[in-house]
Amino acid sequence: MDTGEGILFPSRRDRWLTLLIWLGSSGCVFGAIAAFGSGEGLLFTMLFPVIMIVSAVFMLWVLYGTGYRVSEQGLNIRSGPFRMNLAIERIVSVTPSRNPLSSPACSLDRLMIEYAGGARRIMVSPQDKPRFLETLRERNSRLRYTDGGCGLQDSGGE
């Protein structure tokens, strides 16, 4: 639904990544509990549990707080505490990718967005890729479908 703030596209989440993050978060919580009751000294029993709990919360925040909002003003990308705003007119191309490099994407089923003349890139993984692509195209008339509707390419002002 398009509100005045734009359309929100949650990130797709791969099962293996969700499981890995939940296991890591659980390990942090159990480690914090074990350290708290260990009696190993004030620093270990107080500081270590806090660090572990903060780490667990951070991992889950990134997993469940990753999404993309497309508005008239631009593309707002968020991943936990991290934010990026990208003017849609700066987008040069959007193409499918399975590149595993770090990005605000919780799946390897990604879209690589090239912007600022193609010199910069970011990868996203919206759950509804076709609708995401169509929404970007509606907001930037220079973009057109190519590759059987799999991506967008700058039409060069045609």
Side-chain angles (χ1 to χ4, degrees):
M1 180 166 84
D2 191 359
T3 64
E5 297 175 355
I7 302 172
L8 178 63
F9 294 91
S11 178
R12 175 186 308 263
R13 289 183 209 95
D14 286 345
R15 285 186 184 128
W16 68 269
L17 182 60
T18 301
L19 178 64
L20 188 67
I21 289 175
W22 271 102
L23 286 172
S25 296
S26 299
C28 286
V29 169
F30 289 126
I33 292 168
F36 189 71
S38 71
E40 290 291 326
L42 184 62
L43 185 64
F44 186 75
T45 59
M46 297 307 285
L47 185 60
F48 183 73
V50 169
I51 291 170
M52 297 304 283
I53 296 297
V54 168
S55 298
V57 168
F58 176 78
M59 286 187 276
L60 293 171
W61 186 10
V62 169
L63 180 66
Y64 293 104
T66 298
Y68 323 101
R69 185 175 300 276
V70 181
S71 67
E72 293 299 329
Q73 294 76 31
L75 172 61
N76 177 278
I77 300 169
R78 63 180 169 76
S79 184
F82 307 107
R83 306 280 189 267
M84 178 185 175
N85 291 305
L86 175 61
I88 291 178
E89 63 269 5
R90 293 183 66 204
I91 297 174
V92 175
S93 68
V94 183
T95 54
S97 175
R98 294 200 57 84
N99 188 326
L101 291 178
S102 179
S103 273
C106 299
S107 171
L108 288 180
D109 185 10
R110 299 173 170 193
L111 294 171
M112 182 180 297
I113 299 173
E114 294 186 43
Y115 61 98
R120 304 201 60 195
R121 297 182 177 122
I122 191 162
M123 288 175 282
V124 298
S125 60
Q127 280 180 353
D128 189 349
K129 286 191 335 186
R131 185 166 169 243
F132 180 81
L133 290 169
E134 181 60 29
T135 303
L136 287 180
R137 194 180 67 75
E138 288 171 0
R139 306 275 195 292
N140 183 345
S141 60
R142 294 179 309 121
L143 296 172
R144 62 181 168 81
Y145 283 108
T146 61
D147 248 353
C150 292
L152 298 172
Q153 206 59 14
D154 188 347
S155 62
E158 292 175 9

Short mmCIF file of all heavy atoms in Angstrom, two decimals, residues 125-157:
data_model
loop_
_atom_site.label_atom_id
_atom_site.label_comp_id
_atom_site.label_asym_id
_atom_site.label_seq_id
_atom_site.Cartn_x
_atom_site.Cartn_y
_atom_site.Cartn_z
N SER A 125 17.20 -7.15 -1.34
CA SER A 125 16.49 -8.42 -1.58
C SER A 125 15.00 -8.28 -1.20
O SER A 125 14.56 -8.88 -0.23
CB SER A 125 17.14 -9.55 -0.79
OG SER A 125 17.10 -9.25 0.61
N PRO A 126 14.24 -7.47 -1.96
CA PRO A 126 12.82 -7.33 -1.61
C PRO A 126 12.06 -8.64 -1.81
O PRO A 126 12.35 -9.40 -2.73
CB PRO A 126 12.33 -6.25 -2.57
CG PRO A 126 13.29 -6.27 -3.71
CD PRO A 126 14.61 -6.71 -3.15
N GLN A 127 11.09 -8.90 -0.93
CA GLN A 127 10.27 -10.11 -1.07
C GLN A 127 9.54 -10.11 -2.40
O GLN A 127 9.45 -11.14 -3.05
CB GLN A 127 9.24 -10.19 0.06
CG GLN A 127 9.76 -10.69 1.35
CD GLN A 127 8.68 -10.74 2.43
OE1 GLN A 127 7.55 -10.28 2.25
NE2 GLN A 127 9.04 -11.30 3.56
N ASP A 128 8.97 -8.99 -2.79
CA ASP A 128 8.19 -8.88 -4.02
C ASP A 128 9.01 -8.12 -5.06
O ASP A 128 8.81 -6.93 -5.29
CB ASP A 128 6.87 -8.17 -3.72
CG ASP A 128 5.90 -8.19 -4.88
OD1 ASP A 128 6.30 -8.58 -6.00
OD2 ASP A 128 4.73 -7.80 -4.67
N LYS A 129 9.95 -8.84 -5.70
CA LYS A 129 10.84 -8.19 -6.66
C LYS A 129 10.10 -7.57 -7.85
O LYS A 129 10.40 -6.44 -8.21
CB LYS A 129 11.91 -9.17 -7.15
CG LYS A 129 12.96 -9.42 -6.11
CD LYS A 129 14.21 -10.15 -6.57
CE LYS A 129 14.12 -11.03 -7.74
NZ LYS A 129 15.35 -11.79 -7.99
N PRO A 130 9.13 -8.27 -8.46
CA PRO A 130 8.45 -7.65 -9.61
C PRO A 130 7.76 -6.33 -9.25
O PRO A 130 7.86 -5.34 -9.98
CB PRO A 130 7.43 -8.71 -10.04
CG PRO A 130 7.99 -10.00 -9.56
CD PRO A 130 8.69 -9.66 -8.28
N ARG A 131 7.09 -6.30 -8.12
CA ARG A 131 6.41 -5.07 -7.69
C ARG A 131 7.43 -3.97 -7.34
O ARG A 131 7.21 -2.80 -7.63
CB ARG A 131 5.50 -5.37 -6.52
CG ARG A 131 4.67 -4.17 -6.11
CD ARG A 131 3.53 -4.59 -5.17
NE ARG A 131 2.92 -3.41 -4.60
CZ ARG A 131 2.91 -3.10 -3.31
NH1 ARG A 131 3.45 -3.92 -2.44
NH2 ARG A 131 2.33 -2.01 -2.88
N PHE A 132 8.54 -4.36 -6.72
CA PHE A 132 9.60 -3.42 -6.39
C PHE A 132 10.14 -2.78 -7.68
O PHE A 132 10.28 -1.55 -7.77
CB PHE A 132 10.72 -4.15 -5.63
CG PHE A 132 11.88 -3.28 -5.24
CD1 PHE A 132 11.82 -2.47 -4.12
CD2 PHE A 132 13.06 -3.30 -5.97
CE1 PHE A 132 12.90 -1.68 -3.74
CE2 PHE A 132 14.14 -2.51 -5.61
CZ PHE A 132 14.06 -1.71 -4.49
N LEU A 133 10.45 -3.61 -8.68
CA LEU A 133 10.96 -3.11 -9.96
C LEU A 133 9.95 -2.19 -10.63
O LEU A 133 10.31 -1.12 -11.15
CB LEU A 133 11.31 -4.27 -10.88
CG LEU A 133 12.52 -5.11 -10.48
CD1 LEU A 133 12.58 -6.38 -11.31
CD2 LEU A 133 13.79 -4.31 -10.62
N GLU A 134 8.69 -2.60 -10.64
CA GLU A 134 7.64 -1.78 -11.26
C GLU A 134 7.50 -0.44 -10.54
O GLU A 134 7.34 0.60 -11.18
CB GLU A 134 6.32 -2.53 -11.26
CG GLU A 134 5.18 -1.76 -11.91
CD GLU A 134 5.43 -1.42 -13.38
OE1 GLU A 134 6.15 -2.16 -14.07
OE2 GLU A 134 4.89 -0.39 -13.83
N THR A 135 7.58 -0.45 -9.22
CA THR A 135 7.47 0.79 -8.45
C THR A 135 8.63 1.73 -8.76
O THR A 135 8.44 2.93 -8.93
CB THR A 135 7.41 0.48 -6.94
OG1 THR A 135 6.31 -0.40 -6.70
CG2 THR A 135 7.22 1.74 -6.12
N LEU A 136 9.85 1.19 -8.87
CA LEU A 136 11.00 2.02 -9.26
C LEU A 136 10.80 2.61 -10.65
O LEU A 136 11.06 3.79 -10.89
CB LEU A 136 12.30 1.22 -9.22
CG LEU A 136 12.86 0.86 -7.86
CD1 LEU A 136 14.15 0.06 -8.03
CD2 LEU A 136 13.12 2.09 -7.00
N ARG A 137 10.30 1.78 -11.58
CA ARG A 137 10.09 2.23 -12.95
C ARG A 137 9.03 3.33 -13.02
O ARG A 137 9.17 4.29 -13.76
CB ARG A 137 9.71 1.06 -13.84
CG ARG A 137 9.82 1.37 -15.33
CD ARG A 137 9.43 0.20 -16.19
NE ARG A 137 8.03 -0.12 -16.08
CZ ARG A 137 7.04 0.58 -16.65
NH1 ARG A 137 7.30 1.65 -17.34
NH2 ARG A 137 5.79 0.20 -16.52
N GLU A 138 7.98 3.20 -12.21
CA GLU A 138 6.95 4.23 -12.16
C GLU A 138 7.51 5.56 -11.67
O GLU A 138 7.07 6.62 -12.10
CB GLU A 138 5.81 3.81 -11.23
CG GLU A 138 4.94 2.71 -11.79
CD GLU A 138 3.96 2.17 -10.75
OE1 GLU A 138 3.95 2.64 -9.59
OE2 GLU A 138 3.20 1.27 -11.11
N ARG A 139 8.49 5.50 -10.77
CA ARG A 139 9.06 6.72 -10.19
C ARG A 139 10.19 7.31 -11.03
O ARG A 139 10.58 8.45 -10.83
CB ARG A 139 9.60 6.43 -8.78
CG ARG A 139 8.62 5.80 -7.82
CD ARG A 139 7.78 6.83 -7.14
NE ARG A 139 7.03 6.44 -5.96
CZ ARG A 139 6.02 5.60 -5.91
NH1 ARG A 139 5.64 4.93 -6.97
NH2 ARG A 139 5.36 5.38 -4.78
N ASN A 140 10.76 6.51 -11.95
CA ASN A 140 11.85 6.98 -12.80
C ASN A 140 11.55 6.55 -14.24
O ASN A 140 11.81 5.41 -14.61
CB ASN A 140 13.18 6.41 -12.32
CG ASN A 140 14.36 6.92 -13.12
OD1 ASN A 140 14.21 7.48 -14.20
ND2 ASN A 140 15.55 6.72 -12.60
N SER A 141 11.05 7.46 -15.04
CA SER A 141 10.63 7.13 -16.40
C SER A 141 11.79 6.76 -17.31
O SER A 141 11.58 6.18 -18.38
CB SER A 141 9.84 8.29 -17.00
OG SER A 141 10.64 9.45 -17.04
N ARG A 142 13.03 7.06 -16.92
CA ARG A 142 14.20 6.67 -17.73
C ARG A 142 14.48 5.17 -17.66
O ARG A 142 15.19 4.64 -18.50
CB ARG A 142 15.46 7.41 -17.27
CG ARG A 142 15.43 8.89 -17.49
CD ARG A 142 16.71 9.55 -17.00
NE ARG A 142 17.02 9.17 -15.64
CZ ARG A 142 18.14 8.56 -15.26
NH1 ARG A 142 19.07 8.27 -16.12
NH2 ARG A 142 18.35 8.24 -14.00
N LEU A 143 13.95 4.50 -16.66
CA LEU A 143 14.20 3.07 -16.51
C LEU A 143 13.17 2.29 -17.32
O LEU A 143 12.00 2.64 -17.36
CB LEU A 143 14.11 2.68 -15.03
CG LEU A 143 15.16 3.32 -14.13
CD1 LEU A 143 14.85 3.00 -12.67
CD2 LEU A 143 16.55 2.85 -14.49
N ARG A 144 13.62 1.23 -17.96
CA ARG A 144 12.71 0.38 -18.73
C ARG A 144 13.09 -1.07 -18.51
O ARG A 144 14.22 -1.39 -18.15
CB ARG A 144 12.74 0.74 -20.21
CG ARG A 144 14.09 0.54 -20.86
CD ARG A 144 14.07 0.93 -22.32
NE ARG A 144 15.41 0.99 -22.85
CZ ARG A 144 16.11 -0.08 -23.25
NH1 ARG A 144 15.59 -1.27 -23.21
NH2 ARG A 144 17.34 0.06 -23.70
N TYR A 145 12.14 -1.96 -18.74
CA TYR A 145 12.39 -3.39 -18.59
C TYR A 145 13.29 -3.90 -19.69
O TYR A 145 13.18 -3.51 -20.83
CB TYR A 145 11.08 -4.17 -18.61
CG TYR A 145 10.32 -4.09 -17.33
CD1 TYR A 145 9.15 -3.35 -17.24
CD2 TYR A 145 10.78 -4.74 -16.20
CE1 TYR A 145 8.45 -3.27 -16.06
CE2 TYR A 145 10.09 -4.66 -15.01
CZ TYR A 145 8.92 -3.93 -14.94
OH TYR A 145 8.25 -3.84 -13.77
N THR A 146 14.19 -4.79 -19.31
CA THR A 146 15.03 -5.52 -20.26
C THR A 146 15.12 -6.95 -19.76
O THR A 146 14.64 -7.26 -18.67
CB THR A 146 16.45 -4.92 -20.34
OG1 THR A 146 17.06 -5.02 -19.06
CG2 THR A 146 16.42 -3.47 -20.81
N ASP A 147 15.75 -7.80 -20.52
CA ASP A 147 16.00 -9.17 -20.06
C ASP A 147 14.72 -9.89 -19.64
O ASP A 147 14.67 -10.51 -18.58
CB ASP A 147 16.97 -9.15 -18.88
CG ASP A 147 18.32 -9.76 -19.24
OD1 ASP A 147 18.43 -10.30 -20.35
OD2 ASP A 147 19.22 -9.66 -18.41
N GLY A 148 13.68 -9.79 -20.43
CA GLY A 148 12.44 -10.50 -20.12
C GLY A 148 11.78 -10.04 -18.85
O GLY A 148 11.11 -10.82 -18.19
N GLY A 149 11.96 -8.78 -18.47
CA GLY A 149 11.33 -8.26 -17.26
C GLY A 149 12.10 -8.58 -16.01
O GLY A 149 11.61 -8.31 -14.92
N CYS A 150 13.30 -9.13 -16.11
CA CYS A 150 14.08 -9.50 -14.92
C CYS A 150 14.80 -8.32 -14.29
O CYS A 150 15.21 -8.40 -13.16
CB CYS A 150 15.12 -10.57 -15.29
SG CYS A 150 14.39 -12.14 -15.71
N GLY A 151 15.01 -7.27 -15.04
CA GLY A 151 15.74 -6.15 -14.49
C GLY A 151 15.34 -4.86 -15.15
O GLY A 151 14.46 -4.82 -16.00
N LEU A 152 15.99 -3.80 -14.75
CA LEU A 152 15.77 -2.49 -15.34
C LEU A 152 17.09 -2.01 -15.89
O LEU A 152 18.14 -2.34 -15.38
CB LEU A 152 15.29 -1.51 -14.26
CG LEU A 152 13.96 -1.83 -13.58
CD1 LEU A 152 13.74 -0.88 -12.42
CD2 LEU A 152 12.82 -1.72 -14.56
N GLN A 153 17.03 -1.22 -16.92
CA GLN A 153 18.23 -0.67 -17.51
C GLN A 153 17.94 0.78 -17.86
O GLN A 153 16.84 1.12 -18.29
CB GLN A 153 18.58 -1.46 -18.77
CG GLN A 153 20.01 -1.49 -19.18
CD GLN A 153 20.94 -2.06 -18.14
OE1 GLN A 153 20.60 -2.68 -17.16
NE2 GLN A 153 22.19 -1.82 -18.36
N ASP A 154 18.91 1.66 -17.70
CA ASP A 154 18.73 3.06 -18.05
C ASP A 154 18.54 3.14 -19.57
O ASP A 154 19.36 2.64 -20.32
CB ASP A 154 19.97 3.85 -17.62
CG ASP A 154 19.78 5.34 -17.78
OD1 ASP A 154 18.82 5.76 -18.44
OD2 ASP A 154 20.62 6.08 -17.24
N SER A 155 17.46 3.75 -20.00
CA SER A 155 17.17 3.84 -21.43
C SER A 155 17.88 5.02 -22.08
O SER A 155 17.71 5.28 -23.24
CB SER A 155 15.66 3.95 -21.66
OG SER A 155 15.18 5.14 -21.06
N GLY A 156 18.66 5.74 -21.30
CA GLY A 156 19.43 6.85 -21.84
C GLY A 156 18.58 8.02 -22.26
O GLY A 156 18.91 8.76 -23.16
N GLY A 157 17.40 8.16 -21.67
CA GLY A 157 16.53 9.28 -21.96
C GLY A 157 15.66 9.07 -23.18
O GLY A 157 15.11 10.00 -23.72
#
